[in-house]
């Protein structure tokens, strides 16, 4: 299989070119007993109990960035949407929309990213679709993924379970994905070692839910970042949140880069972090569970839920002041997922 050449419209025509594209560049890397027959749908054996189903689309530019690519991002994003619902990922679908002119070697690297992330997450790609569209200018591609998972019996998650006195935790350092993508965008390149944190989180969530801590709410802080999750949580619960800026894990490079660009790191996207709300008395146990997993080594308790009125998010700043945390109105950054 050669890496030379590019996608042409014939690869989407359903003929021999399509067959070769699928067999040589996609199924050869993602194959498994469910996918290999290439029938119109995957046959799954449903477990007892409820299932969780989710879907998402990925349009990030550039297709590759420090720490990942659109393929890894698509798999991790869908696995993480299932994980924060308390669902064990069972199977994923993969829809590829390829633009005429897309180089084969770039497609190969992205499918490799899909395969590696799926293996890391322990979830197979069981069905999919490939379309080729006319050239639109940048030899790009889009990905849609859907995922199905089995809902854990011990996952009793939701904003309705959050109470005053609960603790807020985050599994690691924030704002790395958004800045990693920004770092390689045209005309915005800067020299840092910031890498995307894109990672499948089910193993980390499994460790947390299995700790015995009363975990009441989980969400991954992707678009709109940590600020968006906290603002949503205050709105959904009707309780105020008090967050300590000093406790939020963040690298000096991210902090300084965000400051240089005039960005609030709280609003910058993450693709490998989870925000958890646990009963206050269980915070030490939850923190220990998160830190026992490789993706949670830098987990921290960052704040608490209070009964203060009105239900706003208040940041206790490093300088000893207080400021309100709000979700961004739009997007401070170009699309990062």
């Amino acid at each position: 299989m050669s890496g030379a050449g590019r996608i042409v419209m014939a690869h989407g025509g359903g003929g021999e070119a399509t067959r070769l594209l699928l067999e040589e560049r996609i199924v050869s890397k993602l194959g498994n007993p469910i996918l290999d027959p290439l029938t119109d749908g995957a046959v799954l054996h449903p477990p007892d109990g409820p299932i969780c189903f989710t879907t998402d689309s990925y349009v990030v530019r550039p297709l590759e960035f420090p720490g990942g690519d659109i393929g890894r991002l698509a798999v991790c994003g869908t696995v993480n949407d299932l994980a924060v619902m308390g669902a064990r990922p069972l199977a994923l679908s993969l829809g590829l929309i390829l633009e005429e002119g897309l180089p084969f070697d770039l497609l190969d690297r992205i499918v490799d990213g899909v395969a590696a992330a799926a293996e890391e997450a322990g979830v197979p790609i069981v069905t999919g679709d490939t379309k080729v569209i006319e050239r639109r200018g940048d030899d790009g591609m889009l990905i849609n993924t859907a995922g199905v998972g089995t809902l854990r019996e011990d996952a009793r998650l939701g904003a309705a379970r959050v109470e005053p006195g609960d603790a807020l935790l985050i599994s690691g350092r924030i704002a790395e994905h958004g800045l990693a993508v920004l770092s390689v965008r045209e005309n915005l390149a800067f020299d840092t070692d910031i890498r995307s944190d894109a990672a499948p989180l089910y193993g980390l969530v499994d460790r947390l839910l299995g700790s015995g801590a009363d975990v009441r709410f989980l969400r991954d802080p992707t678009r709109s970042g940590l600020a968006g999750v906290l603002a949503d949580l205050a709105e959904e619960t009707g309780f105020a949140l008090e967050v300590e800026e000093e406790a939020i894990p963040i690298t000096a490079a991210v902090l300084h880069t965000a400051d240089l660009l005039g960005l609030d790191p709280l609003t910058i996207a993450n693709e490998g972090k989870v925000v958890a709300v646990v009963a206050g008395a269980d915070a030490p146990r939850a923190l220990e569970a998160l830190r026992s997993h490789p993706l949670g080594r830098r987990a921290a308790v960052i704040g608490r839920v209070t009964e203060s009125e009105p239900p706003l998010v208040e940041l206790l700043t490093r300088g000893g002041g207080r400021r309100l945390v709000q979700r961004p109105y739009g997007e401070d950054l170009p699309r990062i997922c």
Side-chain angles (χ1 to χ4, degrees):
M1 182 172 61
S2 169
R6 293 173 178 267
I7 289 289
V8 297
M9 292 303 293
H11 288 117
E16 183 66 10
T18 301
R19 186 187 68 81
L20 292 173
L21 175 71
L22 294 178
E23 289 185 355
E24 296 182 356
R25 298 201 130 77
I26 299 175
V27 178
S28 61
K29 300 180 179 183
L30 305 179
N32 57 69
I34 302 176
L35 177 66
D36 289 348
L38 294 184
T39 50
D40 286 341
V43 177
L44 304 176
H45 298 282
D48 293 333
I51 62 172
C52 183
F53 180 58
T54 187
T55 186
D56 209 342
S57 299
Y58 297 84
V59 298
V60 65
R61 292 289 185 277
L63 299 176
E64 297 176 297
F65 43 82
D69 55 57
I70 189 173
R72 178 174 179 80
L73 191 62
V75 172
C76 294
T78 300
V79 167
N80 295 348
D81 284 346
L82 292 171
V84 297
M85 291 294 295
R88 181 182 293 104
L90 178 64
L92 302 181
S93 71
L94 178 71
L96 300 176
I97 301 174
L98 311 177
E99 187 173 335
E100 182 183 19
L102 179 72
F104 278 151
D105 56 356
L106 177 54
L107 174 62
D108 290 344
R109 293 197 300 273
I110 289 170
V111 176
D112 286 340
V114 169
E119 181 176 0
E120 189 176 335
V123 59
I125 308 292
V126 298
T127 190
D129 181 50
T130 302
K131 291 289 188 298
V132 177
I133 60 175
E134 296 82 359
R135 181 188 295 271
R136 297 182 178 181
D138 61 355
D139 300 339
M141 68 181 294
L142 313 175
I143 295 181
N144 174 269
T145 44
V148 61
T150 56
L151 203 62
R152 295 171 60 119
E153 292 182 357
D154 59 352
R156 298 179 300 117
L157 304 171
R161 293 200 64 236
V162 174
E163 300 176 359
D166 287 351
L168 299 168
L169 291 84
I170 190 162
S171 62
R173 301 182 302 205
I174 67 167
E176 294 174 344
H177 174 71
L179 288 183
V181 174
L182 187 63
S183 74
V184 292
R185 292 189 71 93
E186 188 176 3
N187 299 326
L188 290 174
F190 43 81
D191 184 22
T192 74
D193 59 355
I194 298 171
R195 298 173 62 81
S196 170
D197 63 342
L201 291 172
Y202 180 72
L204 179 68
V205 169
D206 178 61
R207 192 74 60 89
L208 176 61
L209 293 176
S211 70
D214 186 358
V215 182
R216 294 174 170 169
F217 176 90
L218 294 175
R219 190 164 295 173
D220 50 338
T222 54
R223 281 186 294 173
S224 78
L226 178 60
V229 171
L230 297 176
D232 288 348
L233 185 60
E235 188 172 290
E236 292 170 22
T237 63
F239 298 125
L241 307 178
E242 196 172 68
V243 181
E244 298 176 21
E245 186 177 31
E246 190 70 41
I248 299 172
I250 186 170
T251 67
V254 167
L255 196 60
H256 295 153
T257 302
D259 185 59
L260 181 68
L261 297 174
L263 299 171
D264 180 354
L266 297 184
T267 67
I268 298 175
N270 314 270
E271 290 291 345
K273 299 297 182 298
V274 62
V275 175
V277 180
V278 306
D282 290 342
R285 180 187 299 184
L287 187 62
E288 181 181 0
L290 289 172
R291 287 179 173 174
S292 71
H293 191 278
L295 293 177
R297 288 196 300 268
R298 297 180 177 85
V301 177
I302 60 172
R304 61 204 63 84
V305 180
T306 78
E307 286 188 287
S308 300
E309 290 288 344
L312 298 173
V313 183
E314 199 169 31
L315 185 73
L316 309 183
T317 69
R318 291 185 180 84
R322 292 174 176 262
R323 75 170 173 91
L324 293 180
V325 176
Q326 297 174 298
R327 69 172 68 88
Y329 177 75
E331 286 185 297
D332 287 341
L333 301 173
R335 186 57 55 88
I336 43 66
C337 64

